[in-house]
Amino acid sequence: MIKIPKICKAAVLEEYGKPLQIREVPIPEVEAGGILVKVELAGICGTDVHQQRGDLTIKSPLPNIPGHETIGRIVKIGDGRTKDVSGEAIKIGDRIMWAHADCGECYWCEVARDPVLCAKRSGYGFGPPAALRGGFAEYEYVTPATKVVRVPDELTEEEAIGVGCAFRSVVAGYERFGGIGFQDNVVIQGAGPVGLYSLLMAVEGGAGKTIMVGAPKQRLELAVKWGADHVIDIDEYKSPAERSDKICNLTDGRGPEVIIECSGVPAAFNEGLGMIQKGGRYLIMGQSSPAEVSIVPSILTSKCLTVVGNASAAIPHFYKALQFIKNKRTKYPFADIISNKYPLEQINEALANMEAGKEIKPVIDNRGR
Ligand SMILES: [Zn+2]
Ligand SMILES: [Zn+2]
């Protein structure tokens, strides 16, 4: 029998633009169907930096516990919850990951069958401390309405953690996009975790040349390990024109058939529209800022382009991303996505390093506490 404390430590955002505070918060009672987990690893995301600054499009009420990419080890399960989303049994001691809770009864859930668009999605990493629904804590509470997936036993937490946000979103984006064509040349804009997992899916999806555009060197080195045929360092190729020329030369003068935008930089959209091949297809996954850029819409018609956007994911995408890692783990060093591990008490240092561009995927490591 695992002894569960009444309180635990959590990093709480109390004021926008200020450091998170380590506080003691109560651990909620586990309802029927609910799950209490001990947080093992919690990924830190660019979104957490924006959340701390208070410049997300949707502001979360204060105070809250951030952290939405968690691997948790089950310490208590409420009555009635016996399986994960694939039908596999779950029990105390198993590791799980989980999606935002969708309502299952709105138009988007029931008619459109696209729970990513659920009108009443209830997220993790944005809730009040009493709900204990953020990863930057010692424990986290998974509600009865939340679907979970069991992390396969053979995977280390380091290999699996990227599924918590970037990889599941990439799987969802690829599904919405309809995948890539055999031997399509693919340019990936942005070498962060979303770009790196997009690269993997292009390589495994039958791409011709894969060309990663981004920085810094550390990320581009991982891109090469993960199968990029070419990397273009934006610190060396500083202007869009230099990058487009280089890519045009690499793609027989026609430009790429597919571009995957994972940079989050609004101007990247115009750069992509300029270089993409006629008849090309453009998947947009990095954009989250309300900033505006002007475009010439007739480029879409004159080049006969297909543009698809995607944000976030649902539980099937978590499951498939974990299966991918399980099936390919001898081929790719998945754990290399982790650039640094920090104890919970150093959350502010981790966020600062993330903001300064010194990280690929930093994590809060609670194992052994
Ligand atoms: Zn994230
Ligand atoms: Zn819904």
Side-chain angles (χ1 to χ4, degrees):
M1 192 66 189
I2 300 171
K3 189 162 164 19
I4 298 164
K6 293 255 184 296
I7 53 169
C8 71
K9 283 186 183 164
V12 179
L13 177 62
E14 297 180 341
E15 204 176 332
Y16 289 121
K18 294 278 162 62
L20 273 56
Q21 301 294 326
I22 303 294
R23 300 286 187 219
E24 292 199 323
V25 299
I27 291 178
E29 284 298 315
V30 176
E31 312 151 88
I35 303 174
L36 183 69
V37 298
K38 186 179 163 295
V39 174
E40 300 276 69
L41 279 195
I44 298 170
C45 182
T47 301
D48 299 314
V49 173
H50 292 291
Q51 185 178 348
Q52 185 198 8
R53 280 201 228 132
D55 59 8
L56 287 180
T57 314
I58 302 169
K59 282 196 179 189
S60 46
L62 297 172
N64 61 63
I65 304 175
H68 56 270
E69 319 178 352
T70 315
I71 296 178
R73 195 174 292 281
I74 300 173
V75 294
K76 190 167 185 184
I77 310 190
D79 290 345
R81 174 92 80 155
T82 57
K83 294 183 172 78
D84 83 347
V85 72
S86 74
E88 198 173 342
I90 51 170
K91 59 181 189 315
I92 288 171
D94 288 344
R95 299 168 305 170
I96 56 168
M97 301 181 88
W98 55 95
H100 297 325
D102 41 75
C103 77
E105 53 190 28
C106 72
Y107 172 86
W108 305 103
C109 286
E110 284 295 79
V111 179
R113 296 264 170 207
D114 195 346
V116 172
L117 301 174
C118 170
K120 291 186 256 172
R121 270 197 131 189
S122 167
Y124 285 78
F126 305 94
L132 201 62
R133 289 179 58 173
F136 301 162
E138 292 176 310
Y139 290 83
E140 191 164 357
Y141 184 57
V142 180
T143 65
T146 304
K147 297 187 174 96
V148 308
V149 60
R150 186 176 183 278
V151 177
D153 289 332
E154 55 266 63
L155 300 193
T156 64
E157 286 92 27
E158 283 85 347
E159 288 173 306
I161 190 70
V163 171
C165 182
F167 198 6
R168 46 81 162 163
S169 299
V170 169
V171 172
Y174 256 65
E175 206 169 274
R176 211 179 279 284
F177 194 54
I180 61 168
F182 183 58
Q183 292 302 296
D184 279 352
N185 293 317
V186 179
V187 165
I188 294 135
Q189 297 174 300
V194 175
L196 288 162
Y197 289 114
S198 295
L199 167 70
L200 277 182
M201 290 199 66
V203 170
E204 290 291 327
K209 284 178 187 160
T210 51
I211 305 166
M212 171 66 88
V213 182
K217 288 235 158 2
Q218 177 194 19
R219 293 177 171 194
L220 298 178
E221 282 162 16
L222 184 54
V224 171
K225 277 199 222 170
W226 282 13
D229 295 308
H230 303 276
V231 293
I232 297 178
D233 188 333
I234 59 171
D235 292 332
E236 286 169 29
Y237 292 78
K238 289 187 190 291
S239 75
E242 287 173 276
R243 297 191 282 268
S244 295
D245 282 353
K246 170 89 174 162
I247 289 165
C248 195
N249 286 333
L250 291 170
T251 52
D252 303 314
R254 288 191 299 267
E257 283 87 349
V258 170
I259 302 182
I260 305 173
E261 188 285 314
C262 312
S263 70
V265 178
F269 185 50
N270 265 325
E271 190 170 331
L273 291 179
M275 74 169 91
I276 197 165
Q277 189 175 127
K278 288 189 280 186
R281 300 167 64 236
Y282 201 172
L283 174 59
I284 312 290
M285 292 194 286
Q287 300 295 325
S288 62
S289 134
E292 292 180 12
V293 290
S294 61
I295 64 158
V296 179
S298 63
I299 294 174
L300 301 176
T301 48
S302 62
K303 283 190 163 181
C304 300
L305 300 180
T306 304
V307 180
V308 174
N310 185 73
S312 197
I315 199 72
H317 310 117
F318 282 74
Y319 177 78
K320 288 176 190 176
L322 282 169
Q323 292 299 305
F324 183 98
I325 292 176
K326 188 172 105 174
N327 291 327
K328 304 286 177 191
R329 65 191 294 259
T330 57
K331 191 171 173 186
Y332 299 102
F334 288 107
D336 289 3
I337 192 101
I338 296 184
S339 45
N340 272 306
K341 298 174 190 171
Y342 298 86
L344 182 62
E345 287 74 11
Q346 285 177 20
I347 180 65
N348 292 302
E349 190 182 333
L351 287 166
N353 286 337
M354 185 83 184
E355 189 169 12
K358 293 180 188 165
E359 302 280 0
I360 306 177
K361 172 60 70 189
V363 293
I364 297 299
D365 189 353
N366 274 344
R367 296 167 300 184
R369 67 188 288 155

